[in-house]
């Protein structure tokens, strides 16, 4: 018998002896890590102040490593709070034998009596159990970890028909991410409380709903229907780097009164993002629908724990509503966090008017993220073989407590992504940039600098820089990194001494008479160095078939020469006699100086946009592809009915567009116009390019929705005497309520004898004829069914939901037989049975010796032993395992029958 089981038994005895000593209302276990393997644990309980006999000055804390400690209450006799609640703290320290995952836990025998949703009406006999599971991290690389702290006490109540809201207001001092889960309260490790119902399951209905926001932690109950005490529990999960490292439980009660009162209303914006160093100010509005009542406003949350620079313009005294309060936070760089801070504003009325009792409350949860400021004045300067990137020093947040600022990261991409910086979205992940610099702190004068040497001529490189913050482990390794807002983008090219293509646009679409416009700009003279590379100069345009093609050949009219650089011009070539209908084209410019002695062939290539169409039912799916050195960021889609002019029908930033609401059988033609940019001031902007024209005819190739089926038979109604051949399966189906398939022609029934086996078609049922069918398998009724819908064009839906049914076997044995040769009851046989494949039937004499066995379900035992010798009269014991086929996994399932058989021969 385990120690925990013995404790449970003792608790039950104590509870039985002190029926009126009801006690626990709420609680949780938190901890602080104070050494590599040492923690300080805090049990917090909220108990019934008036329940003096059950008051606990000591609790037993189980450490999860096989040891426990009796922990004395650390705050005297506890701190009385309103509403007959007292808060108690029990604090102890413990050193563990090694790194592992442990569960802190405590159990107390007494909950409050009369809880409606916990083992009613005997909730006071159900133990109150709390646990917190945590993992010791590798402190050298992952740092210490402290549990979240729950800042909001569970003190509030509500009236029948009024909203109740609670938020535990979890604050994690390490900046780890948190999520909330509603669970069943527990009475021991791995044991839920008995006979539990969630609050909205008592007098359930549309006006009785509970919700838990897994991100903010708001628990809302709209609205209680029955007065009484209820119990709920949260599990709060803590993650570091996406890995679960801790979970803790808050177990708490909700008191619902039969009273005529409405809670106050507190209103404020729900979310703010502020740049560190700026002051966040916002108003909180408070009102109460009940005239003559006063309201008090209090505020709790992470900013009040993390910062000394938080204030609110009103105190916690009761005031006449309506009124407003101003929340003010002078943020600093030490407040920067990857996670939102939670601030809970609580408005409570004075409905009961007593000094030790409050009225109803309303909460407003406000989330605040403090982000690092963006680095400023980013620039990039190209050299002959590198690009120097620099930004302004000093950075606004380079001085922080405990070396929280770690340096900068530099990000680069080819081509621009000039996105608008969102204050709530720091960092650079998911924006198409590659990180090329880490923990950068090198300076040149009053600027931070980084030399990017991994660059190629002719490409456009765009940069952004981000400040990086992180906590440090005891050994100085960073963890829980936080990125600032990104800087503005700066784009540059490495020595633009080559021509750049700016247009590859289809002007005529044809199989062999297509026309393409190709435009390019000449190199910059200062970057080419015309003294080192004198003329004459030549441009040569080359073309390759396909998007990103590489088999280039000269374009006939694509050669241009000039004896001087000044004579070169930005150039456009109109190429004709092309197949622009079925393929795209890629172009490159070769540039030669010194009469062809020096040839620059590393100018980037650029392709046309190639549009493809995929007709479907009443719609056409468009998609397009290209390969360009510039960045396309917007697309306009034009359509014509094949006869009239093209009209703009939509814009998108994606490479796909679905044109809907069309007519099947009609022809629709399209082209796409892209808008792009190199992101460099000296290059024309925007760059507009057209795809070829592509046409399509919508056609109904969309299958109907899968039906929803049910399977019925007479298993639940049949008697033991119902013969096996009377059993059949009736399969009925209905349309998915989310669909409206008016063009279904037939339904097709599929059957598989066991789950996981291949379905085979059984029959087709015309849609106009019936919405059910009857099927009888070759043997038994076990099997799995599915139905598909097929429209008039032959499009077949996916399989419906799969429904499997079991046989409903019957097998029963008599308790006597008379093998005396009189032709009556001479053999031991079962009563009429059904759906039995085989048996394992064994008969034993009174000494336990096997005297008969068979696998035949008919048995047909004639009273002889295994050698065929007649057995004497007497009572024999049998064991019969009955095997039945099941569709669940195709395996034989069994039922075991045992009993006695009286063998009676009578006079011979």
């Amino acid at each position: 018998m385990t120690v925990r089981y013995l404790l449970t038994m003792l608790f039950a005895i104590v509870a039985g002896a002190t029926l009126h000593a009801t006690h626990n209302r709420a609680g949780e276990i938190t901890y602080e890590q104070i050494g590599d393997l040492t923690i300080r644990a805090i049990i917090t309980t909220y108990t019934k102040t008036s329940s003096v006999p059950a008051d606990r000055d000591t609790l037993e804390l189980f450490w999860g490593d096989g040891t426990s400690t009796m922990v004395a209450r650390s705050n005297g006799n506890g701190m009385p709070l309103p509403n007959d609640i007292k808060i108690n703290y029990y604090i102890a320290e413990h050193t563990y034998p090694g790194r592992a995952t442990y569960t802190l836990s405590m159990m107390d025998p007494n909950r409050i009596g009369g809880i409606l949703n916990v083992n009613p009406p005997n909730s006071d006999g159900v133990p109150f159990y709390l646990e917190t599971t945590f993992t010791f991290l590798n402190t050298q690389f992952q740092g210490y970890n402290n549990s979240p702290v729950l800042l909001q006490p569970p003190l509030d109540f509500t009236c029948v028909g009024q909203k109740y809201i609670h938020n535990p207001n979890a604050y994690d001092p390490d900046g780890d991410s948190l999520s909330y889960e509603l669970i069943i309260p527990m009475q021991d490790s791995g044991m839920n409380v008995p006979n539990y119902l969630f609050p909205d399951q008592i007098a359930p209905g549309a006006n009785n709903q509970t919700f838990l926001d897994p991100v903010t932690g708001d628990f809302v109950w709209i609205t209680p229907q029955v007065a009484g005490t209820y119990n709920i529990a949260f599990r709060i999960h803590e993650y570091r780097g996406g890995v679960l490292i801790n979970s803790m439980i808050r177990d708490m009660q909700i008191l619902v009164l039969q009273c005529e009162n409405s809670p106050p209303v507190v209103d404020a914006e729900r979310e703010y993002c502020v740049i560190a160093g700026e002051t966040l100010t916002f108003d909180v509005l408070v009102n109460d629908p009940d005239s003559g009542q006063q309201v008090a406003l209090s505020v709790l949350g992470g900013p009040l724990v993390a910062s000394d620079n938080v204030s609110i313009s009103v105190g916690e005294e009761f005031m006449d509503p309506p009124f407003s309060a101003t929340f003010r936070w002078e943020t600093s760089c030490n407040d920067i966090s990857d996670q939102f801070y939670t601030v809970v504003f609580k408005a409570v009325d004075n409905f009961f008017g007593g000094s030790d009792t409050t009225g109803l409350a309303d909460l407003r949860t406000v989330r605040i993220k403090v982000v690092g400021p963006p680095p400023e004045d980013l620039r990039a300067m190209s050299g002959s073989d590198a690009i120097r990137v620099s930004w302004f020093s000093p950075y606004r947040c380079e001085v922080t407590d405990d070396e929280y600022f770690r340096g900068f990261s530099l990000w680069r991409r080819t081509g621009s992504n000039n996105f608008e910086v969102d204050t709530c979205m720091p960092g650079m992940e998911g924006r198409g940039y590659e990180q090329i610099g880490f923990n950068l702190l090198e300076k040149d004068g009053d600027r931070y600098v980084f030399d990017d040497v991994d660059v190629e001529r002719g490409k456009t490189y765009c940069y952004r820089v981000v400040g990086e913050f992180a906590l440090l482990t005891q050994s100085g390794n960073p963890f829980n990194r936080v990125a600032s807002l990104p800087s503005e983008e700066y784009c540059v090219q490495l020595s633009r001494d080559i021509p750049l293509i700016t247009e590859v646009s289809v002007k005529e679409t044809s199989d062999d008479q297509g026309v393409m416009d190709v435009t390019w700009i000449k190199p910059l003279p200062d970057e080419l160095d015309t003294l080192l590379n004198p003329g004459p100069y030549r441009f040569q345009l080359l073309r390759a078939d396909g998007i990103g093609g590489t088999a280039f050949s000269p374009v006939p009219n694509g050669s241009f020469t000039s004896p001087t650089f000044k004579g070169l011009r930005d150039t456009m070539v109109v190429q004709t006699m092309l197949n622009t209908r079925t393929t795209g084209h890629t172009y490159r410019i070769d540039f030669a100086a010194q009469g062809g002695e020096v040839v620059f062939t590393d100018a980037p290539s650029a392709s046309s946009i190639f549009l493809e169409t995929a007709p479907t039912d009443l719609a056409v799916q468009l998609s397009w592809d290209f390969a360009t050195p510039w960045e396309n960021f917007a697309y306009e889609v034009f359509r014509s009915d094949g006869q009239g002019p093209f009209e703009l029908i939509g814009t998108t930033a994606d490479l796909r567009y679905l044109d809907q609401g069309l007519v099947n059988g009609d022809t629709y033609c399209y082209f796409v116009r892209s808008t792009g940019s190199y992101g460099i001031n000296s290059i024309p902007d925007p760059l507009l390019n057209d795809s070829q024209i592509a046409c399509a005819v919508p056609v109904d190739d969309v299958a109907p929705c899968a039906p929803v089926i049910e399977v019925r038979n007479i298993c639940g109604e049949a008697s033991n005497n119902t013969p096996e051949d009377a059993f059949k399966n009736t399969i009925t189906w209905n349309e998915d309520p989310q669909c409206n398939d008016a063009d279904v022609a037939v339904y097709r029934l599929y059957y598989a004898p066991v789950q996981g086996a291949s379905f085979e078609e059984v029959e087709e049922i015309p849609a106009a004829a019936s919405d059910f069918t009857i099927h009888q398998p070759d043997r038994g009724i076990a099997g799995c069914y599915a139905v598909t819908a097929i429209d008039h064009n032959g499009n077949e839906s996916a399989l419906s939901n799969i429904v499997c049914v079991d046989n409903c076997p019957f097998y029963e044995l008599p308790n006597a037989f008379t093998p005396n040769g009189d032709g009556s009851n001479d053999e031991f046989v079962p009563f009429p049975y059904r759906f039995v494949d085989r048996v394992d039937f064994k008969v034993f004499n009174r000494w336990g010796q096997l005297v008969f066995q068979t696998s035949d379900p008919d048995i047909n035992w004639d009273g002889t032993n295994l050698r065929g010798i007649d057995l004497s009269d007497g009572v024999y014991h049998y064991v019969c395992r009955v095997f039945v086929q099941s569709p669940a996994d195709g395996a034989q399932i069994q039922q075991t029958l045992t009993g006695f058989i009286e063998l009676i021969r009578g006079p011979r």
Side-chain angles (χ1 to χ4, degrees), residues 621-837:
Q621 177 70 66
L622 306 176
S623 60
W624 50 94
D625 191 18
F626 55 84
T628 61
W630 63 84
E631 185 77 11
N632 288 321
F633 52 83
Y635 308 92
E636 295 177 311
V637 180
F638 294 84
R639 184 186 70 196
S640 168
D641 61 3
Q643 305 295 325
F646 281 89
E647 296 180 351
L648 177 65
I649 61 169
T651 59
T652 180
D654 299 326
L655 299 181
R656 297 170 64 86
Y657 184 86
L658 180 63
D659 186 20
Q660 304 181 80
L662 306 180
V663 177
N664 287 344
D666 287 358
T667 299
Y668 298 90
C669 297
Y670 304 87
F671 76 89
V672 172
R673 176 170 296 157
S674 67
T675 301
S677 173
Y678 275 98
I680 299 175
N681 292 335
S682 61
I683 298 177
D685 194 321
L687 304 178
L688 304 178
N689 288 276
D690 293 347
S691 74
Q692 90 284 10
I693 296 171
C695 299
V697 179
V699 63
D700 183 3
D701 61 352
V702 176
C705 293
V708 178
I709 73 166
E710 295 180 355
V711 180
R712 300 191 305 271
N713 51 47
I714 62 171
C715 276
E717 308 163 5
S719 68
N720 294 337
N721 296 323
T722 303
E724 186 170 312
D725 57 7
F727 288 81
K728 299 178 178 64
N729 292 318
T730 299
I731 303 95
T732 61
W733 54 86
N734 293 288
E735 283 187 4
D736 186 319
Q738 303 297 321
C739 295
N740 183 18
D741 293 319
D743 62 343
V744 176
V746 296
Y747 293 96
R748 186 172 290 164
L749 175 67
Y750 290 89
Y751 171 77
V754 294
Q755 187 171 325
S758 298
F759 278 102
E760 295 185 0
E761 180 184 345
V762 175
E763 65 173 319
E764 286 189 353
I765 304 95
S770 180
D771 60 358
F772 74 94
T773 189
I774 296 174
H775 179 245
Q776 186 174 36
D778 292 339
R779 185 162 184 266
I781 57 170
C784 299
Y785 292 93
V787 173
T788 62
I790 304 171
D791 66 19
H792 291 85
N793 288 334
N795 299 307
E796 184 173 9
S797 75
L799 289 176
S800 68
N801 57 308
I802 297 172
V803 178
C804 298
V805 294
D806 272 314
N807 289 311
C808 44
F810 174 74
Y811 197 78
E812 193 170 295
L813 299 174
N815 56 14
F817 75 120
T818 57
N820 55 13
D822 65 357
S824 175
N825 202 26
D826 285 335
E827 292 184 337
F828 183 79
V829 296
F831 294 109
Y833 62 87
R834 60 174 182 264
F835 304 139
V836 175
D837 274 359

Side-chain angles (χ1 to χ4, degrees), residues 214-287:
V215 175
T216 68
D218 278 346
F219 173 81
V220 181
W221 186 2
I222 306 175
T223 57
Q225 300 297 304
V226 178
T229 302
Y230 297 79
N231 218 111
I232 62 170
F234 300 98
R235 193 183 296 275
I236 302 171
H237 301 284
E238 177 186 357
Y239 299 85
R240 181 171 297 179
V243 177
L244 179 66
I245 59 173
N246 172 35
S247 64
M248 61 184 295
I249 291 174
R250 164 169 275 186
D251 188 309
M252 59 173 285
Q253 284 152 13
I254 304 170
L255 179 60
V256 179
L257 301 177
Q258 189 67 54
C259 50
E260 295 295 329
N261 186 34
S262 298
V265 178
V266 56
D267 189 27
E269 292 291 335
R270 294 188 178 275
E271 191 170 289
Y272 292 92
C273 295
V274 58
I275 297 176
E278 298 179 354
T279 298
L280 173 65
T281 303
F282 61 86
D283 288 334
V284 180
L285 306 178
V286 180
N287 205 346

Side-chain angles (χ1 to χ4, degrees), residues 355-510:
S355 60
D356 61 348
T357 307
T358 63
L360 301 193
D362 184 32
L363 304 182
R364 172 53 64 98
T365 302
V366 178
R367 303 201 316 150
I368 304 171
K369 177 179 279 192
V370 181
V371 299
E376 297 177 341
D377 195 28
L378 180 68
R379 302 177 191 172
M381 181 178 296
S382 64
S384 59
D385 57 1
I387 295 175
R388 168 157 283 202
V389 186
S390 68
W391 56 98
F392 181 74
S393 171
Y395 174 56
R396 278 192 281 166
C397 279
E398 66 180 39
V399 178
T400 54
D401 293 346
D402 300 324
E403 299 181 89
Y404 190 39
F405 173 66
R406 307 305 310 150
F408 300 94
S409 61
L410 184 65
W411 299 74
R412 185 189 76 184
R413 62 172 281 145
T414 302
S416 172
N417 180 13
N418 195 19
F419 61 85
E420 184 176 351
V421 175
D422 183 343
T423 307
C424 287
M425 295 183 62
M428 289 295 297
E429 298 294 339
R431 284 161 165 157
Y433 293 78
E434 174 190 8
Q435 189 173 3
I436 62 171
F438 309 84
N439 299 332
L440 304 178
L441 287 170
E442 182 181 349
K443 288 186 180 181
D444 184 358
D446 63 351
R447 299 186 68 78
Y448 291 100
V449 295
F450 178 83
D451 291 323
D452 185 8
V453 297
D454 185 20
V455 290
E456 300 178 26
R457 294 168 61 207
K459 288 187 176 180
T460 301
Y461 294 102
C462 296
Y463 298 90
R464 291 184 189 262
V465 66
V466 170
E468 298 279 352
F469 303 82
L471 299 173
L472 295 177
T473 67
Q474 299 295 308
S475 58
N477 290 302
F479 70 97
N480 275 359
R481 285 186 172 271
V482 182
S484 77
L485 294 174
S487 69
E488 295 294 329
E489 183 184 67
Y490 196 98
C491 298
V492 70
Q493 282 187 327
L494 181 67
S495 298
R496 216 195 85 202
D497 55 3
I498 52 176
L500 289 179
I501 296 174
T502 57
E503 180 186 16
V504 182
S505 190
V506 178
K507 298 303 177 184
E508 297 288 343
T509 301
S510 172

